[in-house]
């Protein structure tokens, strides 16, 4: 099932400016703000923080910053879509300015 934010919505990311506990602290503040103002927020979390943010928030939509078009099997350095979903992400931000993707790969 597709998860789509209600319009208007807000999107935020920490990129690599903060990490660890600071990411969770920021996510909780975003979650509280989303609740207070009844808005949808896409929170793009670092891969390593997806599960922790998902388990400690309930209003924001957690997205991964990228995934690879692969299936389970070989490829330990690749980002497996099933693993992103299992960690608690509701979506993936594809083809953004920091990770442009050629159209044929995007279609996969």
């Amino acid at each position: 099932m597709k998860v789509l934010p209600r319009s208007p919505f807000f999107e935020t990311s920490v990129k690599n400016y903060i990490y660890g506990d600071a990411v969770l602290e920021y996510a909780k503040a975003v979650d509280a703000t989303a609740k207070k103002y009844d808005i949808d927020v896409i929170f793009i979390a670092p891969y390593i923080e997806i599960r922790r943010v998902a388990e400690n928030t309930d209003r924001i939509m957690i997205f991964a910053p990228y995934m690879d078009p692969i299936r389970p099997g070989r490829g330990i350095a690749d980002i497996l879509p099933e693993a992103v979903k299992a960690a608690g992400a509701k979506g993936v931000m594809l083809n953004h300015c920091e990770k442009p993707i050629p159209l044929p790969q995007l279609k996969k």
Side-chain angles (χ1 to χ4, degrees):
M1 178 170 83
K2 288 185 181 181
V3 177
L4 300 172
R6 295 173 300 150
S7 184
F9 65 91
F10 184 71
E11 177 268 321
T12 188
S13 169
V14 300
K15 300 190 185 275
N16 283 320
Y17 292 109
I18 60 175
Y19 55 90
D21 291 340
V23 173
L24 183 57
E25 183 179 317
Y26 179 58
K28 286 180 174 182
V30 172
D31 195 55
T33 302
K35 289 176 191 173
K36 180 178 179 178
Y37 295 103
D38 190 30
I39 57 170
D40 284 348
V41 177
I42 294 172
F43 185 92
I44 304 170
Y47 298 106
I48 201 155
E49 299 296 342
I50 290 172
R51 181 173 304 280
R52 187 161 70 144
V53 170
E55 289 175 349
N56 288 283
T57 60
D58 52 47
R59 183 66 170 79
I60 58 177
M61 303 166 79
I62 295 103
F63 276 34
Y66 173 80
M67 70 180 191
D68 290 297
I70 61 169
R71 296 179 185 254
R74 273 188 82 130
I76 194 162
D78 298 319
I79 306 297
L80 184 64
E82 289 85 352
V84 169
K85 182 178 180 183
K90 299 297 182 197
V92 179
M93 187 63 66
L94 294 176
N95 204 29
H96 51 85
C97 64
E98 293 189 21
K99 187 78 170 180
I101 303 170
L103 188 56
Q105 183 180 346
L106 191 58
K107 286 181 178 180
K108 285 183 183 181

